[in-house]
Amino acid sequence: MPVRSDAELIEHIFDLIDQQTTDMGDETWYEPVENYNSRERFEAERELMRRVPMGFCPVAALPEPGSYVARMAAGVPIVVVRDLEDNIRAFRNACRHRGMQLAEGAGCTKIFRCTYHGWAYRLDGRLEYVSQDHGFPELDKDTHGLVPVHDVTVKNGLVFVTQDEPVGEGALESLPDLLSDSQAIFASGESVTEINWKLQAEGTLEGYHIKHTHPESFFPYGFDNLNVIETQGPNIRICFPFRRIEKLRDVAPEARELGRTVTLVNHIFPGTSVTRLSDHYTVSFAEPEAPTRTRYYTYKLSPPTADGGAPSEDALQRARKDVAFLSDQGNKEDAKVVADIQAAIGSGANSHYTFGRFESGIVHLHQNLARYLDRLGDAEAQRIEIARA
Ligand code: FES
Ligand SMILES: [Fe+2]
């Protein structure tokens, strides 16, 4: 089901406010606690992340021919590059001589030259140059190009990388609108937290906690447990309205604009988040490094411009202010909650966590994760059967 249009969303928020309620799911979900710290589950999730399209970076991070982004993705070093013909390509970031990584971080280059012994690869992956090649008389250059991933797809402003034979379309089953071409990246970075990646995702997918966790930061501007929760394929969109949305009641429905009246969190299956805040967008990609450690690659983008052109200096300044407001108190409150939960996981108090009717966004994530992990199990069983035959 596609998500509501902006006008429908505003109308629905007014209904929720008037009825003093929130969107509710139709089932309670019990998630085993061991799924947040077991090595076996972690390995299965990471394999799944190699076998579905995974958000890798905003396409805005690859603005010109030669632009590249290199990072770990589900435990594998991957480099994504815009080649000279403007095709976006993704390769395993490893030299075909002795495996040195060829690119680091982000930048722009004409060629990937290995810093170990100098072999060089074109942006389309072909092995172009072998230093002192008389030392490798049997080497077939044509079969020693960079090794591409199974597939790379650019959609709705994101680059998706499918590393190995997919077990389904994943996020691309049905993808909401995310980013537009006129958005500029004004900051990027990475951070590591000692938590399971699902805990962090859960913290963004419900508004049941707003009043209690954020009494002085977010709650004064928002509502207590009042959210619109929509799903599209395995993806989830949750809307957190601000109280100032009430001003739109006086505006004719066809003239209403969402503007700065809501925060919209798009959780793109399984580990990407695209959040539309008042004056900027935050895009983050979870890279689980261990059952209880996750690295986040984060980009801050300006909002789209009305005419599709570059953002004004004013808009960029507002965007930076927006970032500063959030990174103060509210985010710290969320970080404390997830860190405390992770630290108490071994307490033995819970065999499972309970997600109620207000937490249906999280339920959707767990249901889809379970569905895809089942498919992965089926694919593995089939592989073993074929190998035996
Ligand atoms: S490992 Fe790259 S040239 Fe030797
Ligand atoms: Fe929160």
Side-chain angles (χ1 to χ4, degrees), residues 95 97-100 114 116-119:
C95 180
H97 175 216
R98 280 167 50 199
M100 175 68 178
C114 183
Y116 201 179
H117 312 93
W119 290 23

Side-chain angles (χ1 to χ4, degrees), residues 8 47 61 135 168 208 309 367 381-382 386:
E8 290 165 345
E47 188 182 348
Y208 176 43
Q367 280 173 335
Q382 214 174 8
I386 291 167

Side-chain angles (χ1 to χ4, degrees), residues 29-38 41 341 344-355 366:
W29 180 267
Y30 304 96
E31 183 68 13
V33 166
E34 64 183 24
N35 286 353
Y36 296 83
N37 62 1
S38 110
R41 169 75 177 211
I341 295 172
I345 262 178
S347 70
N350 293 294
S351 60
H352 60 263
Y353 295 135
T354 306
F355 297 97
H366 285 301

Side-chain angles (χ1 to χ4, degrees), residues 203 209-210 213-214 218 330 334:
H209 75 280
I210 297 292
T213 306
H214 307 295
F218 298 148
D334 283 324

Side-chain angles (χ1 to χ4, degrees), residues 180-252:
S180 85
D181 289 353
S182 67
Q183 291 179 255
I185 296 173
F186 64 89
S188 63
E190 59 182 88
S191 60
V192 181
T193 52
E194 300 299 320
I195 53 165
N196 182 274
W197 68 277
K198 299 187 295 292
L199 277 183
Q200 172 75 16
E202 288 165 1
T204 65
L205 287 174
E206 47 91 357
Y208 176 43
H209 75 280
I210 297 292
K211 182 174 163 186
H212 300 281
T213 306
H214 307 295
E216 285 162 19
S217 52
F218 298 148
F219 177 58
Y221 303 94
F223 294 87
D224 180 22
N225 197 19
L226 193 151
N227 302 97
V228 180
I229 297 175
E230 297 162 292
T231 62
Q232 195 168 335
N235 308 307
I236 302 131
R237 186 175 87 162
I238 175 163
C239 173
F240 298 83
F242 289 108
R243 292 178 199 214
R244 57 180 176 249
I245 198 169
E246 295 280 10
K247 283 193 214 144
L248 293 180
R249 292 212 197 236
D250 303 331
V251 178

